[in-house]
C-alpha cells in the first residue's frame, strides 16, 4: 500500500467513526479526534480486545498504539486549523505504584515544537472496588491520563508527530489526539472585581485561596461578579459560594484553578467549589485536582451543589478530582457546556433531592464511575427535608466516553426524569444506559420513597460499542433495565440506536425477584434499532431477558433481530 492510499484510508476511517452517531445526538464537540491506530506509526497497534484489566479495552475503539523504543512515533495530518491539543496516553506504573514521569516530543511539519511532560501519577488503580494504588493487588484499570496544550498555530494540512523520547521509561501508549480551534479569551465583564486586586498573580506560584475568598465576599457585598483573568491559580481549601455569587473566568482553556499535590491527601485542602445559596453562577474556567485514589468516605471535590437553587454552571472543565460535579438537594439548575475528564468517580451525579436540574451539552471521558447519573437516595447528607421531591431532571445532548468503571448514563429512580439526545461510546466496563433499582431510594422510617414514578423517558440516544464486562461481576448489555431492590414501571424508550454492542444489545435482569421486587410494567420501546452485537463476547443477543425477570414490555416499530426471552414470567408484546 502506498503512502497516499494509506493516508486516504486513515482519513476515511476517522470520518466513518464520526458518522456512527446521528447528527444532533450528543454534545457539541468543537474538537476533531484523531485515533492513534489510524495514524502513520512506527509503533505497534494493539487491539481490539474486550476483556477486563487490559489497556486495549479502555481505549477508544478498543485499539491504541504502543511506542516502546525511543524515536518511535505516531503521525497524522491536521484536517483543519487548530490552536489547542489534547493527548490521551498511557505510561507504565512504577514497580511499587505511584506512577512515573516521562515526555513526548511534539513535531509540526518535521520541526520539534515542544517536549510534552506526561505522567502516570494519576493513573493505575488495582484490586477490588474502591481500589488501591498497589500493583501487588492485581486487576489493573484506569490506564489513561490526558495532557492538554494551548497556544498552538496549526494549519490545515500540517503534519503532527508525537515521538517517544529517550528517558528510560519502557513505553508510551497513545489512544487519541484532539485538535481544537479555541476562541479568544473572554473580555473583562462589566461590574466586576478582579481577583488580581486581592493579591492573586495568576502564575501558580502563590496560594490564591484567600485572595479568591476575599474577592468573592466583596463582590457579593457590592453586587458585582468575580473576574478571574487568564492564568493559573492555586487553591488549597473550599470556596463556599453564597447566594448571588458569580465567578467568571476567561475561558476553560485560559483560567485554571489547580490543587497542591503535597496537600491533596487532606480532604479539606482540595479544590472544591461549593454552591450553598440561590442565584449562583460559575463560568469559563478549569479545575485541575491532584487526586490519585478513591475513598468514598471522604467528601467530593470539584463542583458541589449543597442546597442551592436557580444556579448555572457553564463551560467549566474539571479533571483529576473525585467527581466532576455532585449535587445534593439542588433545584432549578442548569449545567451547560462542561467537560469532565479523568475523575476517580462520577462525571456528574444528581443525588439526594435534585429537582428540575438540566445538564445540557456536557461531555465526559475517563471517569471512574457513571458518566452521568441520577440517584435520588434518601440519605440526608446534612439535609433532612426533601422538598421538592427529586425528579424532573434532564440529561440532554450529552456525550459519555470511556469510563473505567460503571456506565454511560444511569438513572436509579425519581419522578419523570429524562435522558434525551445523548451519545455513549466505548463503555467497556458496563452499560451505555442503565435504568436500575440497585441503589437505595427509600427510607420507611422517614416515609420517603424515591423509586421510579411518573414516566421515565429515554429518547433519541445512540449507544456505540457499549456493554462490556463489569470487572468483578459479569457482561453487561449495552442498555439494561435492572430490577433489584424495587420493581420498575413507567419507562418510555424512543428512537434509540444500539450499535456494535460488546455483549448483548438490550437486557432485562431482575436480581430482586427473590425478594418479590422483580416486576417490570408499563414499558414501551418505540423505534429501537439494534445492529451488530456480541463483538467481544460469544453467544450474545440483540435482546436478552434473564430467567428472573417478571412482567413485560411492548415493542413498537423496532428492529431487534434476535430476542432471547429466558423467563416464563415475562411477556414481550410486538406491535
Amino acid at each position: 500500500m502506498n503512502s497516499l492510499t494509506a493516508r486516504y484510508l486513515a482519513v476515511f476511517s476517522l470520518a466513518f467513526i464520526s458518522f456512527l452517531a446521528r447528527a444532533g445526538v450528543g454534545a457539541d464537540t468543537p474538537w476533531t479526534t484523531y485515533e492513534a491506530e489510524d495514524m502513520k506509526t512506527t509503533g505497534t497497534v494493539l487491539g481490539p480486545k474486550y476483556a477486563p484489566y487490559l489497556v486495549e479495552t479502555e481505549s477508544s475503539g478498543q485499539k491504541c498504539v504502543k511506542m516502546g523504543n525511543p524515536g518511535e512515533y505516531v503521525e497524522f495530518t491536521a484536517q483543519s486549523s487548530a490552536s489547542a491539543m489534547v493527548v490521551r496516553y498511557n505510561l507504565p506504573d512504577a514497580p511499587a505504584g505511584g506512577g512515573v514521569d516521562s515526555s513526548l516530543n511534539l513535531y509540526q511539519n518535521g520541526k520539534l515544537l515542544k517536549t510534552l511532560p506526561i505522567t502516570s501519577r494519576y493513573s493505575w488503580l488495582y484490586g477490588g472496588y474502591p481500589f488501591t494504588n498497589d500493583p501487588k493487588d492485581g486487576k489493573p484499570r484506569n490506564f489513561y491520563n490526558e495532557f492538554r496544550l494551548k497556544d498552538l498555530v496549526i494549519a490545515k494540512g500540517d503534519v503532527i508527530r508525537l515521538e517517544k523520547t529517550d528517558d528510560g521509561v519502557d513505553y508510551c501508549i497513545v489512544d487519541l489526539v484532539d485538535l481544537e480551534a479555541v476562541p479568544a479569551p473572554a473580555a473583562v465583564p462589566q461590574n466586576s472585581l478582579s481577583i488580581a486586586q486581592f493579591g492573586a498573580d495568576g502564575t501558580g506560584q502563590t496560594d490564591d485561596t484567600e485572595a479568591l475568598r476575599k474577592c468573592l465576599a466583596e463582590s457579593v457585598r457590592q453586587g458585582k461578579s468575580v473576574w478571574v483573568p487568564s492564568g493559573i491559580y492555586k487553591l488549597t481549601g473550599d470556596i463556599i459560594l453564597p447566594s448571588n455569587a458569580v465567578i467568571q473566568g476567561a475561558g476553560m482553556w485560559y483560567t485554571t484553578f489547580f490543587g497542591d499535590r503535597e496537600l491533596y491527601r487532606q480532604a479539606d485542602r482540595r479544590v472544591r467549589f461549593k454552591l450553598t445559596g440561590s442565584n449562583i453562577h460559575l463560568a469559563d474556567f478549569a479545575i485541575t485536582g491532584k487526586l490519585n485514589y478513591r475513598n468514598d468516605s471522604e467528601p467530593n471535590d470539584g463542583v458541589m451543589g449543597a442546597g442551592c437553587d436557580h444556579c448555572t454552571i457553564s463551560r467549566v472543565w474539571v479533571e483529576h478530582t473525585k467527581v466532576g460535579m455532585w449535587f445534593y438537594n439542588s433545584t432549578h439548575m442548569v449545567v451547560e457546556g462542561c467537560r469532565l475528564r479523568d475523575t476517580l468517580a462520577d462525571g456528574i451525579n444528581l443525588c439526594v433531592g435534585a429537582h428540575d436540574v438540566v445538564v445540557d451539552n456536557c461531555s465526559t471521558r475517563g471517569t471512574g464511575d457513571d458518566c452521568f447519573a441520577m440517584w435520588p437516595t434518601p440519605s440526608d447528607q446534612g439535609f433532612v427535608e426533601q422538598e421538592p421531591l427529586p425528579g424532573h431532571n434532564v440529561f440532554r445532548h450529552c456525550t459519555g466516553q470511556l469510563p473505567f468503571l460503571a456506565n454511560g448514563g444511569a438513572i436509579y429512580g425519581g419522578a419523570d426524569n429524562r435522558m434525551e439526545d445523548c451519545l455513549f461510546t466505548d463503555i467497556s466496563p458496563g452499560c451505555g444506559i442503565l435504568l436500575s433499582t440497585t441503589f437505595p431510594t427509600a427510607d420507611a422510617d422517614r416515609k420517603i420513597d424515591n423509586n421510579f414514578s411518573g414516566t421515565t423517558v429515554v429518547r433519541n440516544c445512540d449507544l456505540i460499542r457499549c456493554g462490556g464486562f463489569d470487572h468483578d461481576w459479569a457482561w453487561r448489555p449495552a442498555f439494561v433495565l435492572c430490577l433489584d431492590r424495587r420493581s420498575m414501571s413507567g419507562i418510555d424508550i424512543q428512537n434509540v440506536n444500539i450499535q456494535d454492542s460488546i455483549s448483548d444489545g438490550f437486557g432485562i435482569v431482575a436480581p430482586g425477584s427473590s425478594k418479590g421486587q422483580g416486576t417490570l410494567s408499563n414499558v414501551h420501546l418505540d423505534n429501537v434499532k439494534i445492529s451488530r452485537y456480541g463483538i467481544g463476547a460469544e453467544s450474545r443477543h440483540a435482546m436478552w431477558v434473564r430467567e428472573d425477570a417478571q412482567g413485560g414490555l411492548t415493542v413498537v416499530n423496532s428492529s431487534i433481530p434476535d430476542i432471547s426471552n429466558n423467563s416464563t414470567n415475562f411477556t414481550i408484546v410486538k406491535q
Side-chain angles (χ1 to χ4, degrees):
M1 181 184 298
N2 62 44
S3 60
L4 180 62
T5 303
R7 182 163 296 178
Y8 170 79
L9 289 175
V11 172
F12 173 79
S13 178
L14 289 166
F16 175 73
I17 290 170
S18 69
F19 280 105
L20 285 174
R22 292 172 291 169
V25 174
D28 293 335
T29 51
W31 60 87
T32 300
T33 296
Y34 301 81
E35 299 285 351
E37 65 270 17
D38 296 323
M39 299 177 187
K40 178 182 177 182
T41 184
T42 55
T44 302
V45 176
L46 304 180
K49 292 185 178 179
Y50 304 96
Y53 317 121
L54 298 174
V55 67
E56 295 94 330
T57 308
E58 276 190 28
S59 303
S60 177
Q62 291 67 61
K63 294 181 181 181
C64 53
V65 172
K66 182 176 183 178
M67 299 179 292
N69 297 313
E72 291 187 339
Y73 63 86
V74 291
E75 182 180 281
F76 63 96
T77 301
Q79 298 178 29
S80 56
S81 60
S83 58
M85 169 186 292
V86 173
V87 181
R88 189 171 194 255
Y89 66 90
N90 161 258
L91 292 174
D93 199 359
V100 299
D101 297 324
S102 184
S103 58
L104 279 173
N105 283 332
L106 171 63
Y107 289 85
Q108 182 177 3
N109 298 326
K111 179 181 179 181
L112 179 62
L113 193 64
K114 189 176 181 68
T115 297
L116 311 181
I118 56 177
T119 184
S120 59
R121 292 180 183 272
Y122 305 102
S123 309
W124 295 98
L125 295 173
Y126 303 92
Y129 174 90
F131 321 121
T132 75
N133 298 109
D134 189 346
K136 292 193 298 292
D137 290 330
K139 299 181 178 180
R141 71 184 77 205
N142 188 28
F143 297 100
Y144 281 104
N145 194 12
E146 296 188 5
F147 180 86
R148 64 177 192 158
L149 178 67
K150 64 181 178 69
D151 297 329
L152 300 171
V153 182
I154 296 175
K156 180 180 179 180
D158 281 356
V159 177
I160 306 299
R161 174 181 290 193
L162 293 170
E163 181 182 276
K164 187 183 184 306
T165 59
D166 186 7
D167 60 4
V169 175
D170 288 345
Y171 65 82
C172 177
I173 292 173
V174 175
D175 182 24
L176 56 83
V177 176
D178 294 335
L179 293 185
E180 179 175 354
V182 176
V188 180
Q190 295 182 348
N191 198 35
S192 64
L193 295 177
S194 173
I195 188 175
Q197 298 173 242
F198 294 81
D201 63 7
T203 67
Q205 300 303 308
T206 61
D207 186 339
D208 295 319
T209 309
E210 286 305 316
L212 180 56
R213 287 171 176 168
K214 291 176 181 178
C215 185
L216 180 62
E218 186 61 22
S219 69
V220 171
R221 190 186 72 81
Q222 295 187 29
K224 296 183 177 181
S225 64
V226 172
W227 164 242
V228 188
S230 296
I232 54 176
Y233 303 86
K234 182 190 294 186
L235 298 183
T236 61
D238 289 349
I239 303 301
I240 306 299
L241 297 152
S243 294
N244 303 314
V246 179
I247 299 179
Q248 174 67 54
M252 61 170 64
W253 281 94
Y254 299 104
T255 299
T256 300
F257 297 106
F258 76 102
D260 186 322
R261 191 173 74 186
E262 301 302 318
L263 298 175
Y264 224 78
R265 282 190 169 266
Q266 302 177 45
D268 63 343
R269 303 302 300 275
R270 297 174 182 167
V271 183
R272 178 173 23 246
F273 288 79
K274 193 171 184 179
L275 287 68
T276 61
S278 302
N279 192 36
I280 302 167
H281 306 284
L282 307 180
D284 298 305
F285 58 82
I287 296 171
T288 300
K290 301 294 182 180
L291 195 64
N292 64 353
Y293 70 93
R294 177 167 177 171
N295 184 341
D296 287 346
S297 67
E298 294 180 346
N300 297 314
D301 50 337
V303 176
M304 292 180 59
C308 56
D309 64 272
H310 296 89
C311 304
T312 62
I313 303 169
S314 305
R315 299 171 301 281
V316 172
W317 182 313
V318 186
E319 62 182 27
H320 294 148
T321 54
K322 182 180 173 186
V323 300
M325 301 180 186
W326 190 281
F327 297 95
Y328 303 113
N329 287 17
S330 302
T331 66
H332 306 294
M333 303 274 296
V334 175
V335 181
E336 58 183 352
C338 295
R339 304 184 198 180
L340 302 312
R341 301 286 188 269
D342 298 320
T343 59
L344 272 295
D346 304 69
I348 296 179
N349 194 311
L350 310 183
C351 194
V352 190
H355 175 87
D356 193 20
V357 179
V358 176
V359 178
D360 183 47
N361 194 31
C362 294
S363 66
T364 71
R365 189 162 66 199
T367 61
D369 216 308
D370 293 329
C371 300
F372 300 94
M374 301 179 193
W375 177 27
T377 173
S379 171
D380 54 45
Q381 297 289 345
F383 303 100
V384 177
E385 300 299 328
Q386 281 198 145
E387 183 62 38
L389 292 175
H392 298 272
N393 301 305
V394 184
F395 293 142
R396 176 187 300 144
H397 287 292
C398 290
T399 295
Q401 297 175 287
L402 294 159
F404 63 82
L405 178 72
N407 312 287
I411 302 177
Y412 299 108
D416 297 301
N417 290 312
R418 307 198 312 274
M419 191 183 308
E420 54 194 23
D421 302 300
C422 290
L423 170 64
F424 300 105
T425 67
D426 295 303
I427 314 296
S428 64
C431 313
I433 294 178
L434 172 66
L435 307 185
S436 175
T437 61
T438 296
F439 296 113
T441 56
D443 186 328
D445 293 338
R446 295 164 60 198
K447 298 181 180 180
I448 291 175
D449 184 356
N450 294 337
N451 193 26
F452 287 85
S453 62
T455 303
T456 302
V457 175
V458 177
R459 62 187 172 204
N460 301 331
C461 293
D462 287 355
L463 283 61
I464 301 171
R465 296 185 301 275
C466 300
F469 193 84
D470 185 4
H471 296 86
D472 297 323
W473 295 94
W475 289 98
R476 304 295 193 195
F479 194 133
V480 170
L481 305 180
C482 177
L483 302 102
D484 193 350
R485 295 173 186 261
R486 309 292 300 278
S487 294
M488 192 185 299
S489 182
I491 311 297
D492 192 4
I493 301 169
Q494 310 169 16
N495 303 323
V496 172
N497 288 344
I498 304 172
Q499 185 174 338
D500 290 345
S501 300
I502 299 172
S503 61
D504 301 285
F506 193 103
I508 300 151
V509 299
S513 60
S514 62
K515 304 179 287 242
Q517 292 293 332
T519 302
L520 185 69
S521 61
N522 190 23
V523 176
H524 294 81
L525 276 63
D526 188 349
N527 194 28
V528 172
K529 293 180 171 61
I530 302 176
S531 60
R532 197 164 181 252
Y533 45 88
I535 66 172
E538 296 180 351
S539 303
R540 298 294 150 172
H541 305 279
M543 177 182 284
W544 170 58
V545 181
R546 203 165 70 181
E547 63 274 5
D548 51 9
Q550 302 177 47
L553 56 76
T554 299
V555 178
V556 180
N557 190 34
S558 296
S559 176
I560 305 176
D562 172 27
I563 298 177
S564 177
N565 184 355
N566 297 329
S567 173
T568 58
N569 298 311
F570 195 90
T571 302
I572 299 174
V573 177
K574 297 182 180 179
Q575 295 181 353

